[in-house]
Amino acid sequence: MARGAEFLGSETAIICGAMSWVSERHLVSAVSNAGGFGLIACGAMTPELLDAEIAAARALTDRPFGVNLITMHPQLFDLIAVCAKHGVGHVVLAGGLPPKGSIEAIKEWGAKVICFAPALALARKLHRSGVDALVIEGMEAGGHIGPVATGVLAQEILPVLAGELPIFVAGGIGHGEAIAAYLEMGAAGVQLGTRFACAAESIAHPNFKKAFFRASARDAVASVQIDPRLPVIPVRALRNAGSEAFTAKQREVAQLLDDGKVDMGAAQLQIEHYWAGALRRAVIDGDVENGSLMAGQSVGMVTKEEPVADIIAALMAEARAALARRAA
């Protein structure tokens, strides 16, 4: 883990994954202050909002943190410029392949670029294109997911590329024992989201947190794509009325596509905006029936509200104990 911690500039190589509406100044600064690495979830923010969020996080911590940008954001390069203005040290590009020139634009001020790799071929391509680190995230994760399990991705990618660049493993991690296993396989660190969503410092509504505490792994289900002409990245969330509403939203957008009222890019943006709104209803307003309760399958291990520092300390103690047992 020392390699990952050195790369991030943090005490431990535990990244708090970017969760829209949840990963804002309070949770991000708390994670970084506790020795982890916080990530601001830019999501659908405007450049002005991101500017204010970075400044606010800086006022709460003097430790390193990063910014997660969605590649399909129509103002991606303006958002990159905001990160440059603040001298952000690490930028994560998520949601698709980095557009031409984006990696170079980020590296221009010396920042590190981190990308998601859902397959070995893509991991190799990103490595060749100059990415500084990778996150391999399995389908057990919450939010947008790929089709392959974390354990399979780790076996496929770590033995081949872990010696070339730092790789962080994500998806379904809720206990230090799993962290130890991935470190032994060559990972430089891990990324967790679900475990931090209900931290004491998380601004998520009490109703949102209670839904997590009541849930088991099988309650976190992936959304279904209803129209092959509209490629929608599946999203894992707790099953509720909002899950059904998303099926209806897909039908509505597919019809607009059929009628020629929107192109594919606009159709996909509509889907993204739907998720942003549905997430806000759950996280901020506490509407856990109609909002989106994005959660990974590790949600069954989230049983109470705890300070971020306690979560990180417990994970590290569990990982150390696991490694000690194996070395004995």
Side-chain angles (χ1 to χ4, degrees), residues 72 263-270:
M72 67 169 70
D263 62 17
M264 185 58 76
Q268 288 180 311
L269 268 178
Q270 275 207 32

Side-chain angles (χ1 to χ4, degrees), residues 45-187:
M45 281 185 195
T46 62
E48 293 74 26
L49 280 173
L50 180 62
D51 187 27
E53 199 60 45
I54 295 172
R58 276 267 162 83
L60 295 172
T61 183
D62 57 1
R63 307 276 185 95
F65 61 85
V67 175
N68 181 293
L69 303 177
I70 305 298
T71 55
M72 67 169 70
H73 196 297
Q75 292 177 282
L76 176 63
F77 284 87
D78 294 331
L79 296 169
I80 289 172
V82 170
C83 292
K85 170 189 165 186
H86 288 277
V88 171
H90 299 73
V91 176
V92 179
L93 294 176
L97 279 171
K100 189 176 181 185
S102 57
I103 294 174
E104 293 78 6
I106 294 165
K107 285 180 164 256
E108 222 167 75
W109 77 89
K112 304 288 188 190
V113 181
I114 306 170
C115 286
F116 285 82
L120 178 58
L122 193 54
R124 282 181 162 139
K125 181 173 181 167
L126 288 165
H127 181 35
R128 286 195 302 271
S129 67
V131 163
D132 298 293
L134 297 172
V135 175
I136 54 174
E137 183 178 67
M139 51 91 72
E140 301 95 321
H144 292 83
I145 56 171
V148 182
T150 306
V152 176
L153 279 178
Q155 293 173 74
E156 184 184 23
I157 296 174
L158 289 174
V160 179
L161 287 177
E164 304 288 322
L165 76 174
I167 299 178
F168 300 87
V169 177
I173 300 172
H175 195 278
E177 182 92 34
I179 296 174
Y182 290 126
L183 291 176
E184 283 190 320
M185 291 175 72

